[in-house]
């Protein structure tokens, strides 16, 4: 549902030439604040769309893909595109305010805020190197621990 909201807000028209691929299982749940997780995913997707739109030399079909899976108590979310990739300078200052922007006029604050929101959930966010053109971010969010008393009360009769 959250990914559909991001897709709707991005409002990618067919003539944009950017395909939005949603590979998140419909029954996947994440133990996170929905509004904050939306901000993180929307920010990364908006950045990807801006990069894809600026990549006019790319003749390949352009895509933005979101996938997710659960492994035990951790949900891994991958946001991947086949745009121009991040410039070296932007990678070096990736999560630094006012220094990590990949586009002129950008502040780089979006990634700083995204990182803070992910860290506040006890998670991680990382730029992942990939062999093909584009940018790939992986977010990993653990479920919050259940207090022992609450866990025990479920099994008392």
């Amino acid at each position: 549902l959250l990914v559909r909201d991001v897709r709707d807000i991005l409002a990618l028209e067919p003539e944009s030439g950017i395909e939005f691929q949603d590979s998140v299982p419909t029954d996947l749940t994440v133990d996170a604040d929905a509004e904050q997780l939306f901000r993180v995913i929307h920010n990364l997707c908006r950045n990807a769309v801006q990069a894809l739109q600026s990549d006019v030399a790319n003749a390949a079909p352009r895509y933005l893909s979101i996938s997710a899976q659960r492994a035990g108590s951790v949900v891994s979310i991958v946001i991947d595109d086949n745009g121009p990739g991040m410039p070296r300078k932007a990678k070096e200052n990736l999560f630094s305010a006012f220094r990590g922007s990949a586009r002129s006029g950008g502040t780089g604050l979006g990634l700083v805020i995204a990182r803070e929101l992910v860290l506040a959930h006890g998670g991680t966010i990382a730029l992942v190197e990939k062999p093909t053109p584009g940018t790939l971010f992986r977010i990993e969010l653990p479920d919050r621990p259940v207090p022992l008393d609450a866990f025990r009360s479920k099994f008392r009769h």
Side-chain angles (χ1 to χ4, degrees):
L1 200 64
L2 186 137
V3 174
R4 271 185 274 152
D5 290 346
V6 168
R7 182 195 64 212
D8 293 348
I9 286 183
L10 291 174
L12 292 172
E13 299 296 331
E15 55 271 14
S16 72
I18 300 171
E19 180 187 350
F20 187 93
Q21 302 169 351
D22 175 358
S23 302
V24 177
T26 54
D27 61 345
L28 180 79
T29 59
V30 182
D31 187 6
D33 180 286
E35 191 174 308
Q36 291 179 354
L37 186 56
F38 171 86
R39 284 183 69 188
V40 170
I41 293 173
H42 178 252
N43 180 277
L44 293 172
C45 289
R46 188 183 63 232
N47 289 352
V49 167
Q50 289 169 347
L52 287 162
Q53 288 172 335
S54 71
D55 192 20
V56 291
N58 184 358
R62 296 177 292 174
Y63 71 84
L64 166 59
S65 164
I66 302 178
S67 59
Q69 64 183 32
R70 174 175 284 280
S73 64
V74 176
V75 171
S76 179
I77 303 166
V78 173
I79 298 165
D80 185 16
D81 69 63
N82 68 337
M86 284 197 149
R88 186 177 54 79
K89 185 175 186 255
K91 285 181 186 179
E92 289 170 0
N93 297 297
L94 195 59
F95 296 110
S96 302
F98 308 110
R99 296 176 55 193
S101 180
R103 64 182 173 88
S104 66
T107 61
L109 272 178
L111 285 178
V112 173
I113 293 167
R115 179 176 180 264
E116 291 301 316
L117 292 174
V118 170
L119 290 176
H121 282 82
T124 60
I125 180 171
L127 176 66
V128 179
E129 291 293 325
K130 63 182 206 163
T132 56
T135 303
L136 189 153
F137 278 96
R138 177 175 290 118
I139 300 164
E140 295 192 335
L141 296 170
D143 293 338
R144 287 172 282 210
V146 176
L148 195 53
D149 290 343
F151 178 77
R152 286 181 176 151
S153 70
K154 284 184 180 180
F155 297 100
R156 286 194 190 125
H157 297 291

